[in-house]
Amino acid sequence: MSVFDELVGQEAVVDQLRRAVSGKTTHAWLFTGPPGSGRSVAARAFAAALLCETGGCGVCPSCRQVRAGTHADLLLVRPEGLSYGVRQTRDLVLRAAGAPSGGRWLVVLFEDADRCTEAAANALLKAIEEPAPRTVWLLCAPSAEDLAPTIRSRCRVVTLRVPTSSAVAAVLEERDGIDPERALAAARAAQGHVGRARRLATDPSAAERRAAVLRVPVSATSVGAALAAAAALVGTAEEEAKAVTEQLDEPEREALRRAFGEGSTGKGVAKAMRGMAGAMKDLEDRQKSRATRVKRDTLDGALLELAAFYRDVLMLQCGADVELANADRLTDLRRLASKSPPEATLRRIEAVMRCRERLTLNVAPLLAVEEMTLSLARG
Ligand SMILES: [Zn+2]
């Protein structure tokens, strides 16, 4: 067993990281790869390997603590809002300047480092330029271009690739006991995203939401139907996002209440309660910001599914012999492919991509999606 077992279809990366653990370690690393390729999983495995006495056995207390996120020499940073500010980054840099409590290294794992604001990136750069002697920075971002050149030029880059459908399916079969046919269909539909493939194969409501998204190309054929499809798409994304955030919100509030000893009496309680009100306000602001982000990410995921659907249509129209992401929807794909020319499919893919872009520019989601579904209906 090894901490690297979790990485699916990333043999080259595992080789690179294993060599780095036994050799002289660089102080700043950048893990890149598209969503779902497992960049933070890879960074976490590398952190475990650095902190483990035997290079990442996967079973010792240190490896287990890294997995649980409770290791004293691992600072985990997970920006939950749309951006990560300078104040938080300065705090982090200060903490990262310390010495490890036990082992060789103090490891800072910074997920979604591309969410740093410009000022935050500057604060980060200083820490990476002159790292504390025993500190290792592991940054994660979709691509190296997502970080300022000054930062990425100081990092060793680890590039994850999208695992093949068969590699993802094999994991679902072996670890989750899913039957081969369903595992492969889910792996294809998730386009290499292991977590999403697992959800699609095991969670009926996730599969249902996907079905709702993929009804859009078939149903959006008139103005009325296009507008209805837009509302359904936004509604589905909101529902899914709500399901995700609700699971997180209440336990966090509960933990905060416990930390402030709500319900206790005695001297100082009134003061503590005032402190709690402030902390609760902070927490709720962060939760709100996270909800916005999850909503946007969820809708973006739905749009990527739509784009993949039209790409499949285009592949059929061109007679290309490639693996289809939506092979389980062959009837719909064929019908669309025969009803319109490839140029229309390309325009539809562009409409989806334009919608994604407008969402990053903070256009109201329903407005952007309506514009898209109207374009889809026009062809
Ligand atoms: Zn270990």
Side-chain angles (χ1 to χ4, degrees), residues 135-277:
T135 301
V136 180
W137 288 82
L138 311 179
L139 312 179
C140 303
S143 74
E145 287 67 39
D146 290 314
L147 291 188
T150 43
I151 291 186
R152 69 171 186 256
S153 68
R154 289 176 196 279
C155 295
R156 240 168 98 182
V157 179
V158 178
T159 311
L160 289 115
R161 52 192 192 111
V162 177
T164 60
S165 304
S166 50
V168 174
V171 171
L172 296 188
E173 279 180 59
E174 281 160 29
R175 287 186 209 162
D176 305 281
I178 294 162
D179 68 79
E181 200 181 326
R182 212 165 57 161
L184 189 60
R188 282 182 178 148
Q191 298 170 67
H193 193 307
V194 184
R196 171 139 184 82
R198 183 175 290 130
R199 271 199 305 283
L200 281 174
T202 56
D203 174 0
S205 64
E208 224 166 82
R209 281 190 293 263
R210 169 171 177 259
V213 170
L214 297 184
R215 265 198 296 279
V216 171
V218 184
S219 66
T221 48
S222 64
V223 171
L227 294 179
L233 204 55
V234 174
T236 305
E238 275 175 1
E239 243 170 61
E240 182 166 2
K242 204 169 147 209
V244 172
T245 45
E246 266 175 1
Q247 256 175 26
L248 301 168
D249 287 355
E250 187 47 37
E252 285 173 355
R253 283 197 290 267
E254 182 57 37
L256 186 72
R257 278 188 218 110
R258 267 202 313 275
F260 275 92
E262 191 176 60
S264 55
T265 52
K267 263 189 189 168
V269 167
K271 198 174 158 213
M273 283 300 127
R274 279 196 298 279
M276 181 175 94

Side-chain angles (χ1 to χ4, degrees), residues 52-54 56-60 63:
C52 170
E53 280 184 7
T54 55
C57 64
V59 289
C60 72
C63 284

